[in-house]
């Protein structure tokens, strides 16, 4: 019986592992709820310019679970995710001081997965390297 439970536990853990190396999450600090339908862009720095790699909207849980381009190997470098917060606040009939929130970060290959959370309010925000 213990072997069966262990096998099921191992299967469950592998089911939840994320194949895509980048995800984002937006939470509204004023309500404590996820922010759905926030447009987010992903860009990579190449020389002096930014090259757009992807764009998506957060789901009902405020997440984009697979944000790095599919079928593309993770490359080391400097990246930027830009949360289009002004559009989101306008769609929700709220004012904001920040029309967008750019987050520039380094992918150094030390991790298999990079997570960029954004804690958002009308007049402030916070972000950190999540897991």
């Amino acid at each position: 019986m213990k072997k069966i439970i262990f096998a099921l536990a191992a299967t469950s853990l592998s089911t939840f592992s994320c194949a895509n190396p980048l995800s984002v999450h937006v939470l509204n600090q004023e309500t404590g709820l996820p922010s759905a339908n926030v447009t987010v862009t992903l860009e990579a720095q190449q020389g002096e310019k930014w090259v757009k790699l992807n764009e998506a909207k957060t789901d009902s849980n405020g997440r984009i679970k697979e944000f790095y381009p599919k079928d593309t190997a993770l490359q080391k470098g400097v990246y930027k995710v830009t949360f289009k917060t002004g559009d989101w606040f306008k769609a929700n009939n709220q004012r904001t001081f920040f029309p967008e929130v750019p987050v520039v970060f380094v992918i150094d290959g030390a991790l298999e997965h990079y997570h960029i959370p954004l804690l958002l309010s009308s007049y402030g925000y916070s972000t950190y390297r999540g897991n």
Side-chain angles (χ1 to χ4, degrees):
M1 183 69 165
K2 288 181 184 178
K3 289 181 183 180
I4 294 172
I5 292 171
F6 178 74
L8 287 173
T11 301
S12 297
L13 288 175
S14 66
T15 302
F16 291 111
S17 67
C18 187
N20 193 284
L22 180 63
S23 59
V24 300
H25 189 198
V26 183
L27 288 172
N28 184 327
Q29 282 187 301
E30 294 172 326
T31 64
L33 299 173
S35 299
N37 295 314
V38 176
T39 301
V40 186
T41 60
L42 171 64
E43 297 170 284
Q45 188 175 45
Q46 293 183 357
E48 295 296 315
K49 62 182 183 174
W50 292 101
V51 176
K52 186 175 176 180
L53 300 178
N54 200 2
E55 182 174 285
K57 288 187 180 246
T58 56
D59 64 15
S60 61
N61 290 317
R63 297 178 182 274
I64 301 173
K65 296 176 186 171
E66 297 182 349
F67 200 37
Y68 200 77
K70 292 184 184 213
D71 303 321
T72 304
L74 180 63
Q75 300 293 313
K76 294 179 183 179
V78 178
Y79 290 83
K80 176 170 53 172
V81 293
T82 303
F83 299 89
K84 304 296 185 175
T85 53
D87 295 341
W88 183 84
F89 278 110
K90 185 176 181 180
N92 288 280
N93 298 315
Q94 293 180 292
R95 294 179 58 157
T96 183
F97 185 69
F98 300 102
E100 62 181 30
V101 176
V103 180
V104 179
F105 59 98
V106 175
I107 290 182
D108 60 5
L111 302 172
E112 290 182 23
H113 183 81
Y114 294 81
H115 182 66
I116 311 297
L118 178 67
L119 304 175
L120 181 62
S121 71
S122 296
Y123 299 100
Y125 64 87
S126 177
T127 187
Y128 54 94
R129 185 183 82 182
N131 59 18

